Amino acid sequence: MADSPLAPHSSSPADLTEQLEARRHGAAFLLYRDPNGRQRIHVLGQTDSRATVGRGGEAEVTLDWDEQVSRLHATLERLGDDWTVVDAGLSRNGTFCNGKRISGRQRLHDGDMLRFGRTIVAYCHTREDSRRETVAPDTTADVQISPAQRRVLTALCRPYKGGNVYAVPPTNGQIAETQFLSVDVVKTHLRMLFRTFGIEHLPQNQKRARLVELAFQSGVVRDSDL
């Protein structure tokens, strides 16, 4: 079976930049890889209401390399601000979400892993209302971090100075080197920051980019700090 398209070892810096750029637009999107390992992103447009998945050429998301995918395998349908995956029994091998076979309709959440045949497809969606629930915009009242955590967070955000959308978050080792800390200490501070900003549930290689977004949105880190 294919690896998760969000697995850290499968994403190059260019891939991560493309993912971050897709998130900045706010629309939901599907992230997966073809048999050659190339990243593919299918944006679920904000005006779209339906997208089909299948091996046939008429499907919006065409997985023609996977012989275990049915010609018309499943459908993604938009309900209000949410997207759902629907398997109405059209597929021979079923549709799975986070390892569990679905029957009928299931609402999707950011980071959910769908499997059609052997192909793993990540559903990604950073909704504006979920951002507001996590951290109140333009205020630090709800975010309490230590001076040491602030220094690590600032180092994490530094490549994004000036609104650089093509930046990639630094590694733990790079942060440790600039802050004269051990890698283990950096990891500890980042774990606490993930928890403080309410994103510890996200897939591991999404957390850093999301933390950067929330740090700027909340005002905890400003461009002038970098």
Side-chain angles (χ1 to χ4, degrees), residues 28-30 32 41-63 71-79 82-88 90 95 105-106 108 114 116 121 123:
F29 62 93
L30 303 177
Y32 56 103
I41 291 179
H42 179 90
V43 177
L44 298 168
Q46 294 175 331
T47 59
D48 297 338
S49 60
R50 188 172 182 269
T52 55
V53 180
R55 192 155 44 91
E58 68 276 12
E60 281 86 4
V61 182
T62 304
L63 309 175
R71 185 172 183 83
L72 178 58
H73 196 100
T75 304
L76 285 96
E77 296 180 359
R78 179 169 155 160
L79 294 178
D82 295 311
W83 280 88
T84 63
V85 59
V86 181
D87 189 321
L90 297 176
T95 299
R105 183 188 304 273
Q106 180 167 322
L108 295 174
L114 303 171
F116 310 102
V121 177
Y123 172 81

